[in-house]
Amino acid sequence: MIGYQMIILVLVGFRVLDFKDYDWLLPALLVQNLAQIVGLASYAVKHLFSDITLRNGGRRNG
């Protein structure tokens, strides 16, 4: 999905595609890309640090 949206943005940037009549389309795609990247990053961080939580027995040190 991200690759597809990147291709669309590149084609618009090189003026192969023209979405001037749809002012909302490109900002919507950019926001969707950002949301997907943030979601993937949060999933990765949660997965990376879940092992630390399991080693500590689910307790916080402090």
Side-chain angles (χ1 to χ4, degrees):
M1 185 67 133
I2 292 175
Y4 170 74
Q5 291 174 3
M6 285 174 46
I7 290 170
I8 287 178
L9 291 173
V10 168
L11 291 176
V12 169
F14 285 120
R15 300 181 195 269
V16 175
L17 296 177
D18 185 14
F19 292 107
K20 288 182 182 175
D21 294 337
Y22 304 100
D23 292 335
W24 55 268
L25 182 65
L26 293 178
L29 290 176
L30 289 171
V31 168
Q32 187 177 5
N33 269 348
L34 180 62
Q36 289 175 350
I37 291 168
V38 168
L40 182 60
S42 66
Y43 175 78
V45 168
K46 184 188 290 187
H47 180 70
L48 287 172
F49 290 110
S50 67
D51 190 35
I52 294 172
T53 305
L54 293 175
R55 277 193 219 153
N56 291 334
R59 287 181 261 141
R60 290 186 178 184
N61 293 333

